[in-house]
Amino acid sequence: MKAWLALLAALALPLSAQNYDPNALFAIKQLKIGQISDHTGLTGVTVLRFDQGATASVDVRGAAPGTRETDLLKPENLVDKVHAIVLSGGSAFGLDAMSGVARQLESEGIGFNTGVARVPIVTGAVLFDLVVGDPKARPDAAMGQAAAKAAKRSGLTEGNVGAGTGASVGKIRGMEHATKSGLGVYSVQLDSGLVVGAVVAVNAWGDVVDRSGQLLAGTRDENGFIPGTALIFQGANEPGFVGKNTTIGAIVTNATLTKAEALKVAQMAHDGYARAIRPVHTMNDGDAIFAAGTGELGPVNINTLGVIAAEVMETAIHRAVQAAESAGGLPAASDFAKMNK
């Protein structure tokens, strides 16, 4: 009970007081992460590698998703291990990056043994960042291959990196009133040895709020952040093409999961989206969460795992906007924090 109370207290603390190191996620021993960022074009790729394979599934709740190999992750389908989960910018063009990841893994002899070749199982999702930076800058196969090759178990950073390089939030009044976002990471480890972590690129139509409901980043006017949901009540809507958003993330654990259990964890982790992003899962978003278990630890209570998954995902979203820096003409939450000091 004391361990749980300490965990809940840590989750409730201001992020500046937590002194969390993203590299704590590598308590999951069979995980490596590589990130490539184009800071000129403002796009990038984040690759989660599982060279020994991880049991995974996905839950897509946004109406405008861009994904690869997600049908394979359904519990009733054959292959039960993935070798990489890729989060990428570039909208549908960014799907090319996943081919590069597969190419790199194949060159290292990693993949599903078909008898005649090893086929790397690479799944993932893309977000729309073409309106920030250069719309012609998109993650391609070479960038995906470079990210997979660079994957390691140290040096993990947050903010304007990888899939979060061109991410933004708060677009209910249009891009000119949006706020720069990024990539966030958060994990916890229990006394039992269970590790649960979240990696998320936050590119939401809505705003990001803290655990008390206060705005951390989002829709802006000349005085600062304003609640976009209130604007919707007043009839506001993002002008033009609506599919410009998507928050894409992954829950990773060292527990042993079936694909059905991984699906349930991904479903429960969406509660973290719903608590941190308002509104979320809209027709304007392609929100998706992957869940993967490496099997280093035995089976665990799925209710416990799902509840923790939602908590770490919520905190990772907070960290994504707080670690972001201004770019592409968009201010970041950190800019407003400096102004208010």
Side-chain angles (χ1 to χ4, degrees):
M1 180 61 73
K2 288 182 179 179
W4 272 106
L5 291 174
L7 170 62
L8 292 174
L11 289 166
L13 284 172
L15 295 180
S16 60
Q18 291 186 20
N19 296 319
Y20 173 75
D21 179 1
N23 292 285
L25 183 62
F26 294 120
I28 301 172
K29 296 181 175 58
Q30 294 178 24
L31 169 68
K32 295 191 289 187
I33 296 180
Q35 303 196 89
I36 295 293
S37 311
D38 177 353
H39 291 294
T40 301
L42 294 180
T43 193
V45 182
T46 299
V47 178
L48 286 71
R49 279 184 57 160
F50 308 96
D51 292 358
Q52 298 178 50
T55 302
S57 192
V58 64
D59 188 40
V60 178
R61 297 199 181 179
T67 59
R68 168 178 162 138
E69 293 277 39
T70 49
D71 275 355
L72 176 146
L73 300 179
K74 292 179 179 178
E76 67 270 24
N77 288 339
L78 174 65
V79 177
D80 64 352
K81 300 288 185 184
V82 303
H83 302 101
I85 296 172
V86 182
L87 309 178
S88 177
S91 188
F93 299 108
L95 294 170
D96 285 348
M98 301 176 199
S99 297
V101 174
R103 183 186 304 160
Q104 180 61 34
L105 295 181
E106 182 192 23
S107 73
E108 297 179 32
I110 295 165
F112 179 75
N113 189 355
T114 66
V116 294
R118 286 195 173 272
V119 179
I121 306 302
V122 177
T123 187
V126 296
L127 56 79
F128 189 102
D129 55 7
L130 305 182
V131 288
V132 179
D134 182 355
K136 296 296 185 181
R138 299 124 181 209
D140 57 12
M143 184 179 284
Q145 184 168 7
K149 188 174 182 179
K152 56 185 180 179
R153 294 181 41 76
S154 63
L156 183 58
T157 57
E158 300 170 286
N160 295 19
V161 295
T165 304
S168 56
V169 296
K171 287 160 271 191
I172 292 168
R173 296 183 70 201
M175 281 303 301
E176 66 271 24
H177 300 287
T179 302
K180 186 69 183 69
S181 182
L183 182 128
V185 178
Y186 193 69
S187 65
V188 296
Q189 182 169 6
L190 304 189
D191 292 343
S192 64
L194 174 66
V195 182
V196 186
V199 179
V200 61
V202 184
N203 191 58
W205 184 55
D207 306 321
V208 174
V209 299
D210 67 15
R211 290 173 184 267
S212 68
Q214 296 298 307
L215 286 168
L216 290 177
T219 310
R220 296 178 291 109
D221 65 11
E222 59 277 6
N223 298 314
F225 299 131
I226 57 174
T229 302
L231 296 177
I232 293 173
F233 273 77
Q234 297 167 17
N237 205 331
E238 181 182 14
F241 169 58
V242 297
K244 296 178 181 175
N245 318 282
T246 292
T247 297
I248 50 177
I251 293 293
V252 189
T253 178
N254 59 351
T256 298
L257 300 176
T258 65
K259 283 207 289 186
E261 290 171 336
L263 174 59
K264 188 59 184 177
V265 170
Q267 291 171 344
M268 294 179 73
H270 272 285
D271 288 352
Y273 276 22
R275 291 197 291 256
I277 302 171
R278 298 181 187 173
V280 73
H281 303 146
T282 73
M283 296 297 291
N284 297 7
D285 296 285
D287 302 324
I289 297 179
F290 297 84
T294 62
E296 301 161 37
L297 193 70
V300 298
N301 184 289
I302 297 303
N303 283 332
T304 299
L305 184 52
V307 168
I308 297 173
E311 295 287 343
V312 296
M313 182 60 76
E314 182 179 3
T315 300
I317 291 169
H318 296 162
R319 294 181 64 88
V321 297
Q322 292 189 322
E325 298 177 353
S326 59
L330 296 179
S334 56
D335 298 317
F336 293 95
K338 292 173 185 174
M339 289 169 52
N340 293 329
K341 283 186 178 180

